[in-house]
Amino acid sequence: MLALLPRLRRFAHALARNAADADDLCQAAIERALKARDQWQPGTRLDSWIYRIMRNHWIDTARARTRHGETFVDAELGEGIGDRGDAAIEANVELGNVGRAMATLPAEQREAVALVLVEGFAYKEAAEILDIPMGTLTSRLVRGREALMAKLGEAA
């Protein structure tokens, strides 16, 4: 499970679009997976199982946020803290551009892009994680890629 942590954090960030919320989501998903470890079936993919737990928890969190009207700190409050050098700053700017472009995508496209393009899941696995037909995943990916390319072209 430790080896999956960087991938889980990336997916959590793609869902939450806020570093603090993403860390909370990742921690909660890992806690749920550990508590429910007897439900995981050996021989199946552990990563897919935990991704699904994380996605379901995010849906629950989003619903609760809507119901309770909770507010969260904007990611922009933490930007620009510290100086790691020119190359790191440029890389951070590019990563920020991609993150902002991802944030503009509808949730369905963002999830599909995060699982297939960022995390490297096969289409079939991503469709299973999202509980959608393969054709739906494919169309979401096409629309998501086109929107990202357009947004990133504007940022250049």
Side-chain angles (χ1 to χ4, degrees):
M1 190 177 295
L2 287 175
L4 294 175
L5 193 55
R7 294 175 55 206
L8 292 170
R9 290 190 74 223
R10 278 195 307 263
F11 185 58
H13 192 73
L15 292 174
R17 295 179 285 172
N18 173 297
D21 290 344
D23 287 342
D24 291 345
L25 176 60
C26 191
Q27 179 178 345
I30 290 170
E31 286 176 13
R32 285 184 177 198
L34 288 172
K35 286 179 183 175
R37 66 182 169 265
D38 58 323
Q39 295 176 11
W40 177 66
Q41 298 175 3
T44 62
R45 290 192 55 164
L46 178 65
D47 56 352
S48 295
W49 182 69
I50 297 174
Y51 273 83
R52 186 156 215 168
I53 290 171
M54 182 179 290
R55 182 173 179 265
N56 289 341
H57 182 63
W58 177 247
I59 290 169
D60 293 344
T61 301
R63 286 179 183 153
R65 184 181 297 162
T66 301
R67 280 192 310 268
H68 301 310
E70 296 174 356
T71 58
F72 295 93
V73 176
D74 291 333
E76 296 161 3
L77 294 176
E79 290 179 8
I81 295 176
D83 182 9
R84 298 176 294 170
D86 291 347
I89 290 173
E90 288 177 19
N92 200 21
V93 167
E94 284 303 314
L95 188 57
N97 289 341
V98 172
R100 282 187 290 281
M102 284 278 289
T104 64
L105 295 177
E108 296 83 14
Q109 291 175 15
R110 191 174 58 252
E111 290 172 347
V113 168
L115 286 174
V116 175
L117 299 180
V118 177
E119 296 304 324
F121 277 95
Y123 283 30
K124 181 179 179 185
E125 294 168 330
E128 288 173 2
I129 290 170
L130 297 174
D131 197 25
I132 58 175
M134 187 97 100
T136 302
L137 175 75
T138 304
S139 65
R140 288 179 184 178
L141 277 171
V142 168
R143 289 191 310 269
R145 280 186 189 129
E146 288 173 354
L148 281 176
M149 298 285 279
K151 285 289 182 187
L152 292 174
E154 293 172 10

